[in-house]
Amino acid sequence: MTAAPQFDPITFQVLWSRAINIADEMATTLVQTAFSTVVRDNHDFAVGIYDAKGDLIAQANQSTPGQLYCMQRVMKDLLETCPSHTLAKGDVLIANDPWLGSGHTPDIFIATPTFRGDDLVGFGVTCAHHTDIGGRLAAPDAREVYEEGIIIPITKLYDKGQPNELLFQLIERNVRIPHRILGDLRAQMAANHFGGQRLVEFLDESGLDQLSDLTDAVAAQTEQNMRSQIAALPDGVFENEIELEEEDPAGKRLVICSRLEVRGDEIFIDYAGTSPQVPLPINSVLNMTTAYSTFAIKCALTPHSPNNKGTSAPIHVSAPEGSILNPTFPAAVMHRTAIVFYCVQAIFQQLAAVKPDRVMAPCGTYPLWVERFAGKDHEGNPYVVAFNAQGGQGARFDQDGVATTVFPANVSSTSIELLEAEAPLLCDRKQLITDSGGPGRQRGGLGQEVVLRNLAKDDALLSLSGGRFHIAAPGMDGGGQGTLGIIRLDDGSPEPRRRQALLGQDGTALFAYPGGGGYGPPYERDPAMVLDDVRKGYVSRERAETDYGLVLSNDGTAVDTQATIRKRAS
């Protein structure tokens, strides 16, 4: 670990807090100028400011972990292709190659160099998930990345202030709603430009010539914090194997094999033995696998530290080339959360042996449920919308799981009102699902049921995504599992997997989102908490008796039979 430049504690905190404020202001600019609900309302983006060497100094507080961690790798690749000495005022760099970025084509990275006079002093960088990038509308059954939209290699979107018209035309010609996609790209550039202005003001007012000393100081402190937390763990090897509900072409279930070794103040995570890559859009590139593996360690050990190169310095991640966690081009990768989120589950289950109070039971939000609708509205205009809603989080050592909230990603749910305003869709029903959270000393978070109806006279193309259709979120330390996820179109049989479908006029799509796993034996739950769950409709009277040992009398009071449950459990 390199020595950090010296700042007195007060100056250090003031400068770093100012840098975070700049990143947050950039995020606000992005939200206020974006065209799509995915960026504007779901906040599916990451924002950061970087020094001239391409090192992260501060992130916006609202940033998704996958995009943010991958952004640090992207900046190094950008500067390798476009070295600092070749950049000029007015340049804007762009890329969305999954193997360079965050693992799928809709995530577009834009970096804008900031100059103070003639000196390059840093970068404003944004990554945003775009509603459409061409291809087969989220391609739920794609076999190759070529089906998943256009791939933009590292190039200049603007060169010395002049737009790359051919690239703009290429994007416009390949997407279904060009005004929204180009609008979001310009919102990213606006956020970067604003951040650059604030960055120059920051340097002028602080008296700093450049940002690298501050960047190195923040990274050094972050690394020290991470290493000290790792060193407090006992040395050892922890192994885990998770069977997934996804299958290879031969019908064999896929597995993630994880070996976590604590060695001094470093952690080594090796995914050797994990299933080979498959011709399905669920493979996770190594950049994304590393991002969520590192994020899991950070959540457990240093949740309040910043994200930068110091976070990942003591954490080493490897996966076999050609596996579902390190696929080779041109593997399909659009729905990589179907795989990579389970890396978080694997690591939390491993750390539970030594840090049971710092991890979470598996969630019903693995993978992301983001349903895409495309078609024509009542006036014949094309629309593409993404509906983001989630199941329940897993319970923690001392807290119930949060209902209908995504983890480990960091995106907001789609507002029903906005969805209905932007597409000819009507929400018939949206409610919590009783008994969906896994029973436990701490109950798993509840899932939800949503029914959407197509009001247009034309068919709506629906790209179905989701998971935990066959394997529910397990509990931890004796906790019970959550409920399974269900997708049903027009009251038919449940959909067995992700696919594309047509929803006719007045057709309905039902989404039952899975519940999270419970933590700890159910018989240890406070009877008053069980009774409160029953009164709120979170737990049924039947489950209160069978899982928790409470019999409810007609007047709503509870007779505690937990002694019987404890005796049975022992």
Side-chain angles (χ1 to χ4, degrees), residues 51 310 360:
D51 65 18
M360 174 188 296

Side-chain angles (χ1 to χ4, degrees), residues 385-529:
V385 293
F387 179 64
N388 187 338
Q390 305 301 328
Q393 288 186 359
R396 283 167 278 183
F397 182 82
D398 57 355
Q399 295 183 42
D400 288 346
V402 181
T404 66
T405 304
V406 67
F407 180 87
N410 185 28
V411 292
S412 302
S413 296
T414 302
S415 160
I416 289 297
E417 293 78 9
L418 288 173
L419 181 74
E420 293 177 339
E422 297 203 353
L425 299 170
L426 177 69
C427 180
D428 282 354
R429 183 165 67 253
K430 190 174 192 285
Q431 62 188 29
L432 296 174
I433 302 176
T434 300
D435 292 336
S436 54
R441 181 182 67 249
Q442 303 298 333
R443 176 183 44 75
L446 299 183
Q448 61 182 317
E449 182 177 282
V450 180
V451 178
L452 299 177
R453 183 180 300 274
N454 177 28
L455 298 182
K457 62 181 179 180
D458 295 319
D459 291 344
L461 176 62
L462 174 56
S463 183
L464 301 171
S465 66
R468 295 215 184 272
F469 301 126
H470 310 293
I471 300 178
M476 186 172 284
D477 191 29
Q481 66 182 19
T483 53
L484 293 172
I486 298 173
I487 297 178
R488 181 179 286 117
L489 303 183
D490 294 323
D491 297 323
S493 300
E495 295 292 331
R497 62 183 61 87
R498 289 176 305 278
R499 71 179 184 92
Q500 285 188 340
L502 291 176
L503 201 61
Q505 184 179 19
D506 210 38
T508 59
L510 178 148
F511 306 101
Y513 298 83
Y519 202 124
Y523 63 80
E524 293 183 356
R525 187 165 179 82
D526 185 341
M529 295 174 69

Side-chain angles (χ1 to χ4, degrees), residues 71-154:
M71 185 185 286
Q72 299 176 59
R73 161 74 186 276
V74 171
M75 276 305 302
K76 297 300 184 181
D77 289 330
L78 288 173
L79 289 177
E80 184 176 335
T81 302
C82 302
S84 297
H85 69 272
T86 68
L87 299 176
K89 294 178 182 179
D91 285 351
V92 177
L93 307 179
I94 185 172
N96 79 330
D97 187 323
W99 276 261
L100 298 177
S102 59
H104 67 179
T105 53
D107 286 349
I108 299 180
F109 291 83
I110 293 183
T112 305
T114 295
F115 287 84
R116 187 188 188 196
D118 294 327
D119 297 327
L120 176 67
V121 293
F123 295 84
V125 189
T126 53
C127 175
H129 182 103
H130 289 256
T131 305
D132 180 31
I133 195 63
R136 293 183 46 241
L137 188 65
D141 54 354
R143 299 176 63 85
E144 293 183 317
V145 72
Y146 302 120
E147 302 175 60
E148 299 177 339
I150 59 174
I151 298 175
I152 305 169
I154 296 173

Side-chain angles (χ1 to χ4, degrees), residues 551-565:
V551 178
L552 300 183
S553 60
N554 291 333
D555 63 0
T557 59
V559 179
D560 183 4
T561 61
Q562 290 198 26
T564 303
I565 297 293

